[in-house]
Amino acid sequence: MDPIKNQISAIDPWDMNDAPEPKGEEALHRILSGTTVFSDANTLSNVASLEKRRARKFQIAGGLFLGAAAVTAGVLVAANFGPVGATPAPAATFTSAEATAAPSASATPSTTATPTPAPTATPTAVATPQPTSTPVATVPVVAPTPVSTTTLPHAGQVQSYTFPDGHLSFSYPVGWSVKTEQGPYLSEETKAASQGATVMDSAGSPVAYIYSGFYGDGTAGLVDRTVLDRAVVPGVRDVNGSQVEFGFSSIQPQYIPYEGPPYEGMPSPQSGPVEGPPTYIMDVRLTSELKAGISSSGTNQITMPNGVMSAYVLFDPAKRPTFATPAAATAWMGTTQYAQLKSMLLSLNYI
């Protein structure tokens, strides 16, 4: 029986066979003198020592660390460099004119990997596009031209009319006539000063209406105004000393936008011009009420010390539109009738 089986049978508690009593001195001697190997063969030559096993672990850990570092470096290089080319790509440059013409385009210097070791990308200085304001279309405004009453057209062929209170007067062509009427008033004290005058041409057709001493009223809306002609009326200033101008213009009504949801049962709010022909206006008003472009339609009522005055040309209400085209309106400005009406409105004088 080999030594392993002997030791197992020696410690078996159920084995009641007579066995020699172990000697303590011999057992102690065996423990102290050497190690019993429980094998049929000597395998000590195949067992690595503790020092070798520790060294092997350090080698494996070092190899894994170096491999991970190499993979990480490769990923970083691939992310920062493009495909390898024979020559580096030229840096993009922009002149200041190009940057202004196309502010949305921006030049970003790109780094291209080259076969040379450790390439260094040097970005070329690039002009940074400066934001430019978007040009806004403006409506040309006719500059006011001061006109002297002594140089008005047909100055030698006119006659004058003065309102009963003696404050407001104007000149009109010979052959034309003026028909007056009582104007609206708020009290007996203001009744006498409130007068309206209808000016009629040589054919008896009403061409203008001028009133003085009225009380103010009226409404306004949003319009797009084109000023065709304007000039300062030298003889009239309002109670605040503000300048008054003659003007010939066309207005196109605009939809009035409002905030909030549409009212129940009403159409949705609209914006932009109202469909239809423009309205032509020839009158006198404060300079602040004769604005070109989209603004309030304003008013031609001028507050004077004796009340409100107004003066405007009466276009034929049966003709809609007054002029078939804007070109027709411009052509009318070269006629004798236009010059006579303009001269009459510019001759207004308040004392």
Side-chain angles (χ1 to χ4, degrees):
M1 185 179 294
D2 59 21
I4 295 176
K5 291 182 178 181
N6 290 336
Q7 292 186 16
I8 293 175
S9 61
I11 63 174
D12 186 0
W14 301 103
D15 190 2
M16 304 302 294
N17 296 329
D18 293 336
E21 182 179 355
K23 296 180 181 181
E25 293 181 0
E26 292 180 1
L28 179 61
H29 176 73
R30 287 196 300 268
I31 292 174
L32 295 177
S33 62
T35 302
T36 302
V37 178
F38 301 96
S39 175
D40 293 336
N42 185 11
T43 59
L44 291 176
S45 60
N46 298 326
V47 178
S49 63
L50 180 60
E51 290 77 8
K52 290 182 178 181
R53 293 174 64 184
R54 289 179 177 175
R56 181 61 177 170
K57 290 181 179 180
F58 284 129
Q59 290 175 357
I60 294 173
L64 293 175
F65 175 77
L66 292 176
V71 172
T72 303
V75 172
L76 293 177
V77 170
N80 287 278
F81 294 95
V84 177
T87 57
T93 58
F94 289 93
T95 62
S96 60
E98 293 171 342
T100 304
S104 61
S106 59
T108 303
S110 60
T111 307
T112 304
T114 62
T116 57
T120 302
T122 304
T124 305
V126 180
T128 302
Q130 299 296 328
T132 58
S133 58
T134 303
V136 179
T138 56
V139 179
V141 178
V142 181
T145 305
V147 178
S148 172
T149 54
T150 59
T151 59
L152 291 175
H154 315 287
Q157 306 174 24
V158 297
Q159 50 191 338
S160 297
Y161 174 80
T162 301
F163 281 83
D165 63 359
H167 291 295
L168 184 64
S169 62
F170 62 91
S171 300
Y172 58 101
V174 172
W176 291 17
S177 60
V178 175
K179 179 182 178 181
T180 61
E181 61 184 4
Q182 177 66 55
Y185 56 92
L186 298 176
S187 64
E188 289 297 325
E189 290 77 10
T190 60
K191 179 179 179 180
S194 181
Q195 294 287 323
T198 302
V199 182
M200 292 173 287
D201 62 11
S202 57
S205 301
V207 293
Y209 188 72
I210 303 172
Y211 62 78
S212 177
F214 280 29
Y215 58 84
D217 59 2
T219 59
L222 191 65
V223 299
D224 186 1
R225 178 183 288 108
T226 301
V227 179
L228 303 173
D229 190 14
R230 67 194 303 168
V232 174
V233 179
V236 179
R237 294 266 178 169
D238 74 347
V239 292
N240 297 318
S242 300
Q243 181 174 272
V244 175
E245 288 188 48
F246 155 84
F248 177 47
S249 61
S250 67
I251 59 173
Q252 183 67 49
Q254 304 287 304
Y255 287 106
I256 301 176
Y258 61 87
E259 298 180 356
Y263 295 104
E264 183 177 358
M266 298 294 289
S268 299
Q270 302 183 52
S271 60
V274 176
E275 294 183 2
T279 300
Y280 289 87
I281 299 174
M282 188 175 184
D283 60 7
V284 296
R285 59 179 61 203
L286 296 175
T287 300
S288 59
E289 301 289 341
L290 190 60
K291 295 180 180 179
I294 296 179
S295 64
S296 171
S297 59
T299 179
N300 56 14
Q301 297 180 359
I302 304 169
T303 304
M304 307 301 292
N306 70 333
V308 173
M309 68 152 285
S310 183
Y312 51 89
V313 170
L314 297 173
F315 291 114
D316 186 355
K319 293 180 61 177
R320 290 290 296 164
T322 303
F323 301 99
T325 62
T330 303
W332 180 66
M333 294 169 61
T335 64
T336 300
Q337 184 188 40
Y338 179 87
Q340 291 173 327
L341 290 170
K342 179 178 179 180
S343 298
M344 181 181 66
L345 295 178
L346 287 172
S347 71
L348 287 164
N349 186 59
Y350 187 92
I351 57 175

